[in-house]
Amino acid sequence: MRPLTEEETRVMFEKIAKYIGENLQLLVDRPDGTYCFRLHNDRVYYVSEKMLKLAANISRDKLVSLGTCFGKFTKTHKFRLHITALDYLAPYAKYKVWIKPGAEQSFLYGNHVLKSGLGRITESTSQYQGVVVYSMADIPLEIL
Amino acid sequence: MGRKLDPTKEKRGPGRKARKQRGAETELARFLPAAGDENSKRLSSRARKRAAKRRLGSVEASKTNESLGTKPSPGKLPKEAVQTPGKKGTQALFNAARDKKHPVPAHSSDEEEDSEDDGTVEQRDLWGSEDSDADMVDDYGVDSDSEEADGEELLPIERAAQKQKAWEAAAGAQWSEEETDEEDEEGMSPESGPTKDEAEGGLQINVDEEEFVLPPAGELDLDAQAPDLQRVHKRIQDIVGVLRDFGAQREEGRSRPEYLGRLQKDLATYYSYGDFLLGKLVELFPAPELIEFLEANEVPRPITLRTNTLKTRRRDLAQALINRGVNLDPLGKWSKTGLVVYDSSVPIGATPEYLAGHYMLQGASSMLPVMALAPQEHEWILDMCCAPGGKTSYIAQLMKNTGVILANDANAERLKSVVGNLHRLGVTNAIISHYDGRQFPKVVGGFDRVLLDAPCSGTGIISKDPAVKTNKDEKDVLRCAHLQKELLLSAIDSVNATSKTGGYLVYCTCSVMVEENEWVVDYALKKRSVRLVPTGLDFGQEGFTRFRERRFHPTLRSTRRFYPHTHNMDGFFIAKFKKFSNSIPQAGTGNSATGTSTDLDSPDLKGQIPPKSENSSQPAKKAKVATEAKQPLQKRQRSNKASFQKLNGVSKGAESELCTVPSITKVQASSRLQGSSKLPGKADVTREPKMTGKLKKLRFSKKAASPRQSALFKGRDTGTPAVQPLSETQATPRLKDRGQTLGKAKGAGKAKQQFPEEPGKKAKFQDSGTPEGPQVPTQVPTVTPRRSGRPPPAKRRKGASQQLF
């Protein structure tokens, strides 16, 4: 477990900024304490500082996971966000897409959403924009 | 082969043309009984057969068909089936079973018919009647009414019924003949034995239960090869019935163990258990309850789930699931987050709510240890065997994602499921690690609470995994027990006793065996400074305080056992410990004794021990031989309790540990001080009460002994001068070592009864500093056993008092 290097931090924040824009600071300074990112086995974990003290005692090969995994760095050092980051990105998402109840089930089980299944969408969403998908009940479903 | 155009010729047969309605006369003509018509008709061979058949009625025809063994015409059978389905069926079975052994009934009934019919012609017709086609007309053999010779107005159906009754009577007679034959034999031959008592038991069980006869012990091979499960089941019920009222219902000359042995074998056969496991279960449950337990293991427990309160509420979740088509109910008043699923039209593990992490599929019994643990917010919790993560996530939701949870498991593949589940359920305060649980306090310790869901033999979850019935053996259970003991000791060492809000440990297994549950808990009570406390679960059976030849600590009553047949959840065992001191006793019966004796004033105990340990830890660290003169004396006092050999070994051990881990040495030395467990040759049964007694005696005798000892010493000085130099030389290095360890031991000082005495003794013995040197060898009798002919009378007195125990 180690803190992220400058380069890695930059890459990761660029990626996250696609979804939540400048609200990144809100991720780090939370009302219930400071959180930080740590890298372990090419995966980025989002942990609170209280945990770091305990986690430091665990040897690297025995540590499996800590806090929440946000995503991982690929072999070519690109950052890929995981579904596990959804809960943190969803409240701050800039562009949202809502899908209708009928299409929700199909989407959850892996299929594409047709245009008819689209319920709402934030206005002025550009093409290929990173979005967060919600159900009509405002439950975040996916980061796309 | 042209069609002959002959309007006078009536169309007969099963074809379409025959079915066409021709007109009233022709229709009537077919129905009206007219022998003349028949005779005037040009009957083809088939028509003749049909006529004959109609006359006889369907029953006889079918009988002759079967008994003759010829292939019945398919056309005929349906007709007969329509007419008399029931009779045909039974007769077919009967005929097939008897295999023409008893043609008499059939032929007798045939003869009856034959008497009515004309002789040979009809016989031929009977023979030939098999091939004819079935008539579409269901006239119930109306034609034969005219041929009754009996003079009775019987319809063919009624005649057939009479014949049926006659046949059944004959059959009954035959069966009873067979049975009486068997009964006549005196039940010694293997085959007849079981059938005999089955017959007797079966026939008479409704009438008179006393007659159940236990088959002889020797034969069971028959059952082993080809068990007749129904018979075995019946026998099980019979034996349980007999056992319930043994005095009245027993068979003369048969003992209870014979009945029990038979029952055990039968249960093993019927429920397919291995002998070892069934033997263990027989020891645990009385016979009727055992059967309930075994039956409950055949049926799966209901599916239960636990709401994830981090993301939703139980009410909302229930509503959402009901909308999806799941039939569910709250679990019970003991759980605020549990739901039980009766049935579901959607896969319960694949709903969007599940994927969103709103609930977790978890057994009801797995929710209990976490409820017992009662984690508070901002605590540090260790879950030692966490896979697949159900309990860990429950802990996290009770803590509301505050604090830190260290979720550990030794199995790497199962850890993936932990990662998945914790992420899905939105648990953010968990660290997941992959250690062997036994490494624990070394890696990181000082947790507020620890949950240990130990790997076990799984005898409580047989309904989930039936392979456990046969693949568990004595070795497996003992291996599990050993591992559990090690894990439990490590877990206890990882708890911080001085935690402000915690200091608790919950040990649980999904097993019902005493070796894995009460025995392990009892072991921990002896080995560590822990105490059992109530789990906070108000239902469930209490754990055993004694079991067969073993005796456990009385506080084991606060542990809880759950069974599939009583609580409708998986078999489970839960024990909650409170650690009251961070020091590790070397041989901890003193602790358990103090635990019991001071159970009532536990708050005092809790209050006293931690500060004392903290205070004395400081002097321990600065152990100096010279200043700790009183320690050898203390050691001597306390060594009265310990076996002398152990003392030696222990001191050496303590030395080595000095170099490595100071805290542990201190702890071990203090345990030596308490040092009471290793009384050679003393049964565990007698240990605790004796211990308390001993402590009291010790306290008393110490004060008494000290002046005596100094006096004696003086005597000894004069008496054995030659011996002394040797003893001194031996004593001093030993003294040094022991001084250090003792210092630490004293520092760790668990038996608080000792503490008040120390100042007193200190005062006394600081005066006689040197005497302690030579006195020391008295405490090391292994080295100089002869010399301490002197554990002088005082010692011997103590020794004597020891032996009294």
Side-chain angles (χ1 to χ4, degrees):
Chain A
M1 178 175 71
R2 63 171 172 80
L4 296 172
T5 64
E6 282 296 323
E7 186 60 32
E8 289 163 347
T9 324
R10 189 181 57 77
V11 169
M12 191 185 77
F13 279 9
E14 266 177 21
K15 186 69 181 245
I16 295 181
K18 283 193 196 148
Y19 296 90
I20 62 175
E22 302 80 23
N23 297 333
L24 205 49
Q25 198 56 27
L26 291 168
L27 275 182
V28 178
D29 300 322
R30 281 184 31 176
D32 56 338
T34 324
Y35 280 68
C36 48
F37 294 96
R38 287 289 177 269
L39 186 77
H40 177 65
N41 284 350
D42 285 336
R43 283 170 192 263
V44 175
Y45 294 98
Y46 178 68
V47 296
S48 88
E49 290 197 334
K50 290 188 272 291
M51 265 200 270
L52 289 178
K53 205 166 71 129
L54 184 55
N57 295 326
I58 301 175
S59 66
R60 221 173 271 174
D61 53 345
K62 302 286 193 192
L63 181 65
V64 174
S65 165
L66 59 158
T68 318
C69 172
F70 246 55
K72 73 176 196 187
F73 280 100
T74 60
K75 296 279 189 226
T76 52
H77 305 294
K78 298 193 181 49
F79 183 67
R80 207 168 231 324
L81 268 177
H82 282 186
I83 182 75
T84 47
L86 180 63
D87 284 332
Y88 298 99
L89 299 183
Y92 310 117
K94 279 205 301 196
Y95 296 100
K96 305 180 186 180
V97 165
W98 284 261
I99 47 178
K100 290 186 186 153
E104 173 196 340
Q105 193 86 354
S106 158
F107 175 68
L108 280 178
Y109 288 111
N111 303 314
H112 296 287
V113 177
L114 302 181
K115 203 153 64 165
S116 57
L118 187 66
R120 261 167 77 188
I121 185 164
T122 328
E123 53 185 38
S124 69
T125 315
S126 53
Q127 200 183 24
Y128 305 121
Q129 174 68 44
V131 295
V132 177
V133 178
Y134 287 79
S135 76
M136 284 320 266
D138 275 334
I139 299 174
L141 298 176
E142 176 67 80
I143 313 169
L144 284 183
Chain B
M1 250 146 321
R3 192 165 63 87
K4 284 179 251 180
L5 199 62
D6 186 359
T8 56
K9 187 174 178 187
E10 196 189 296
K11 304 233 177 341
R12 295 177 291 252
R16 208 166 11 127
K17 296 204 193 294
R19 264 184 273 149
K20 279 190 192 155
Q21 233 182 9
R22 257 152 285 156
E25 296 95 6
T26 37
E27 295 296 314
L28 275 175
R30 291 165 76 197
F31 280 104
L32 282 177
D37 281 349
E38 256 194 294
N39 293 333
S40 64
K41 273 189 215 163
R42 278 183 299 126
L43 293 173
S44 64
S45 65
R46 283 180 173 263
R48 258 183 276 128
K49 285 174 205 161
R50 261 180 279 145
K53 205 168 177 189
R54 260 179 266 130
R55 257 173 276 139
L56 286 174
S58 56
V59 175
E60 284 67 30
S62 66
K63 256 203 229 162
T64 43
N65 282 341
E66 318 263 338
S67 58
L68 296 173
T70 50
K71 62 167 170 41
S73 70
K76 215 170 196 89
L77 280 173
K79 171 198 172 195
E80 286 147 14
V82 165
Q83 287 180 344
T84 55
K87 280 182 220 150
K88 187 163 160 40
T90 50
Q91 281 179 8
L93 281 173
F94 170 66
N95 285 324
R98 297 182 37 157
D99 200 25
K100 301 181 215 171
K101 259 195 305 189
H102 306 277
V104 175
H107 284 204
S108 64
S109 48
D110 284 342
E111 283 160 31
E112 219 179 333
E113 280 304 299
D114 288 342
S115 65
E116 295 176 3
D117 302 331
D118 304 333
T120 48
V121 176
E122 307 314 325
Q123 285 285 8
R124 249 183 285 121
D125 283 343
L126 284 176
W127 280 98
S129 60
E130 310 137 19
D131 304 327
S132 54
D133 306 320
D135 249 347
M136 294 307 294
V137 176
D138 209 7
D139 58 4
Y140 292 101
V142 152
D143 290 334
S144 49
D145 281 350
S146 56
E147 285 150 315
E148 283 163 17
D150 296 347
E152 298 172 11
E153 288 287 331
L154 284 180
L155 293 172
I157 286 281
E158 288 168 357
R159 239 179 289 133
Q162 272 186 343
K163 279 168 203 142
Q164 175 80 356
K165 280 186 208 148
W167 162 73
E168 270 173 0
Q174 287 195 342
W175 278 121
S176 57
E177 276 171 21
E178 289 172 15
E179 282 190 36
T180 48
D181 285 343
E182 289 181 6
E183 286 171 17
D184 287 344
E185 301 173 33
E186 268 314 304
M188 279 308 140
S189 68
E191 291 78 13
S192 66
T195 50
K196 168 181 161 183
D197 41 82
E198 272 315 297
E200 285 190 350
L203 289 175
Q204 295 174 356
I205 198 71
N206 303 323
V207 177
D208 185 6
E209 290 193 14
E210 298 168 17
E211 303 293 334
F212 170 65
V213 176
L214 196 64
E219 58 80 21
L220 226 327
D221 306 332
L222 180 73
D223 274 346
Q225 285 144 26
D228 177 5
L229 286 177
Q230 276 194 340
R231 212 172 61 195
V232 171
H233 188 56
K234 187 117 202 12
R235 201 159 55 215
I236 291 172
Q237 288 170 339
D238 292 338
I239 295 183
V240 172
V242 168
L243 287 173
R244 203 175 297 140
D245 187 12
F246 195 63
Q249 297 193 17
R250 60 179 297 174
E251 193 191 335
E252 293 311 315
R254 294 299 189 88
S255 63
R256 197 185 182 92
E258 284 189 38
Y259 275 95
L260 287 172
R262 196 79 182 82
L263 179 66
Q264 192 168 330
K265 283 192 205 121
D266 282 343
L267 287 172
T269 316
Y270 189 68
Y271 292 104
S272 9
Y273 276 73
D275 284 330
F276 168 73
L277 185 58
L278 196 66
K280 288 283 174 190
L281 293 174
V282 162
E283 292 172 7
L284 272 172
F285 300 107
E289 202 181 337
L290 177 62
I291 295 185
E292 281 178 31
F293 178 80
L294 296 174
E295 282 290 338
N297 281 337
E298 301 296 314
V299 177
R301 303 273 78 72
I303 301 176
T304 51
L305 50 92
R306 185 196 86 238
T307 324
N308 181 18
T309 52
L310 292 172
K311 294 202 173 183
T312 184
R313 283 194 302 257
R314 181 165 73 163
R315 222 176 318 142
D316 302 336
L317 175 66
Q319 194 56 49
L321 285 176
I322 288 171
N323 289 343
R324 294 212 181 269
V326 180
N327 194 359
L328 46 76
D329 252 352
L331 187 48
K333 56 178 166 53
W334 52 271
S335 164
K336 289 196 215 62
T337 52
L339 289 166
V340 59
V341 175
Y342 297 119
D343 54 59
S344 163
S345 53
V346 292
I348 194 75
T351 60
E353 281 77 28
Y354 181 82
L355 295 173
H358 287 194
Y359 63 90
M360 170 95 188
L361 286 170
Q362 187 174 39
S365 49
S366 300
M367 302 185 202
L368 298 170
V370 181
M371 288 165 57
L373 185 68
Q376 311 297 318
E377 298 189 20
H378 306 293
E379 279 189 339
W380 279 22
I381 311 250
L382 168 65
D383 186 352
M384 249 191 195
C385 307
C386 63
K391 298 188 183 73
T392 315
S393 50
Y394 196 6
I395 294 174
Q397 91 183 39
L398 288 177
M399 287 164 68
K400 301 197 183 57
N401 261 336
T402 59
V404 184
I405 304 175
L406 181 56
N408 177 68
D409 200 89
N411 186 338
E413 291 91 39
R414 298 190 78 206
L415 270 179
K416 294 190 184 133
S417 66
V418 179
V419 175
N421 276 324
L422 292 184
H423 277 100
R424 181 176 62 81
L425 294 162
V427 171
T428 56
N429 61 347
I431 301 172
I432 305 170
S433 69
H434 173 43
Y435 280 106
D436 183 340
R438 294 170 279 191
Q439 294 177 305
F440 250 96
K442 205 162 53 145
V443 171
V444 58
F447 289 95
D448 293 313
R449 291 174 203 249
V450 174
L451 172 65
L452 173 57
D453 181 15
C456 63
S457 59
T459 49
I461 46 170
I462 294 178
S463 55
K464 274 192 218 164
D465 179 18
V468 170
K469 288 185 203 171
T470 47
N471 66 8
K472 290 305 171 199
D473 202 6
E474 176 94 34
K475 283 197 300 295
D476 294 318
V477 174
L478 290 177
R479 200 180 327 132
C480 283
H482 182 76
L483 177 63
Q484 285 157 358
K485 284 175 190 157
E486 291 182 317
L487 283 171
L488 184 51
L489 292 186
S490 301
I492 293 174
D493 296 336
S494 311
V495 182
N496 178 15
T498 56
S499 146
K500 281 190 260 330
T501 57
Y504 292 98
L505 165 84
V506 168
Y507 169 77
C508 61
T509 61
C510 53
S511 168
V512 298
M513 309 250 107
V514 174
E515 283 86 1
E516 295 177 319
N517 296 339
E518 282 88 355
W519 198 31
V520 171
V521 169
D522 197 57
Y523 175 83
L525 286 176
K526 289 184 203 128
K527 284 279 189 178
R528 290 289 187 273
S529 29
V530 287
R531 176 177 53 241
L532 276 174
V533 294
T535 53
L537 303 165
D538 54 357
F539 65 107
Q541 274 198 11
E542 293 178 351
F544 300 132
T545 49
R546 56 184 183 83
F547 183 73
R548 296 176 81 84
E549 70 275 1
R550 295 208 184 97
R551 294 291 175 270
F552 305 122
H553 202 275
T555 52
L556 266 141
R557 266 199 309 277
S558 57
T559 63
R560 288 285 177 264
R561 281 177 155 259
F562 299 91
Y563 296 125
H565 60 286
T566 50
H567 305 99
N568 201 17
M569 51 176 73
D570 295 319
F572 226 70
F573 172 82
I574 299 178
K576 183 172 180 181
F577 293 91
K578 170 96 173 73
K579 188 172 179 183
F580 52 82
S581 163
N582 272 330
S583 52
I584 302 179
Q586 183 70 54
T589 25
N591 308 325
S592 58
T594 55
T596 41
S597 59
T598 59
D599 229 355
L600 293 170
D601 48 337
S602 46
D604 297 331
L605 184 65
K606 260 189 278 184
Q608 279 179 19
I609 293 297
K612 279 217 166 84
S613 56
E614 275 152 27
N615 293 338
S616 38
S617 61
Q618 285 166 2
K621 289 194 178 109
K622 313 178 231 160
K624 283 176 192 133
V625 177
T627 54
E628 319 274 6
K630 57 178 159 55
Q631 285 140 22
L633 185 70
Q634 281 178 5
K635 190 175 170 342
R636 180 179 40 124
Q637 310 283 345
R638 289 179 189 127
S639 71
N640 293 336
K641 287 192 275 174
S643 77
F644 298 124
Q645 286 137 358
K646 178 133 192 357
L647 211 55
N648 226 2
V650 158
S651 66
K652 290 206 177 85
E655 284 166 31
S656 54
E657 272 133 10
L658 260 179
C659 320
T660 52
V661 189
S663 59
I664 295 184
T665 350
K666 149 179 115 172
V667 147
Q668 281 182 341
S670 72
S671 74
R672 205 166 7 110
L673 282 180
Q674 322 308 335
S676 38
S677 64
K678 301 293 176 178
L679 298 166
K682 302 283 193 292
D684 289 357
V685 185
T686 56
R687 199 188 303 184
E688 283 127 24
K690 302 295 162 61
M691 280 334 302
T692 45
K694 235 187 225 131
L695 282 173
K696 289 184 193 129
K697 279 204 174 193
L698 193 62
R699 239 178 300 156
F700 176 79
S701 60
K702 267 183 202 171
K703 295 200 163 91
S706 39
R708 244 183 288 132
Q709 276 180 341
S710 42
L712 283 162
F713 165 68
K714 289 191 188 97
R716 196 154 46 109
D717 261 341
T718 54
T720 60
V723 181
Q724 275 171 18
L726 187 58
S727 66
E728 270 182 28
T729 48
Q730 281 191 349
T732 34
R734 208 165 281 288
L735 183 57
K736 287 203 181 75
D737 304 328
R738 247 192 257 104
Q740 269 191 330
T741 56
L742 275 177
K744 294 212 163 74
K746 187 174 89 64
K750 282 201 12 218
K752 67 178 169 130
Q753 290 91 339
Q754 317 273 358
F755 283 68
E757 300 168 43
E758 283 165 34
K761 274 187 235 110
K762 189 170 186 166
K764 276 185 202 134
F765 289 97
Q766 267 171 350
D767 307 331
S768 52
T770 39
E772 281 147 45
Q775 272 178 355
V776 164
T778 63
Q779 303 164 35
V780 193
T782 47
V783 180
T784 58
R786 288 301 145 215
R787 223 156 8 96
S788 39
R790 239 15 186 247
K795 258 307 191 228
R796 210 181 291 129
R797 233 170 271 136
K798 278 181 210 143
S801 66
Q802 250 185 347
Q803 273 132 37
L804 278 178
F805 293 117

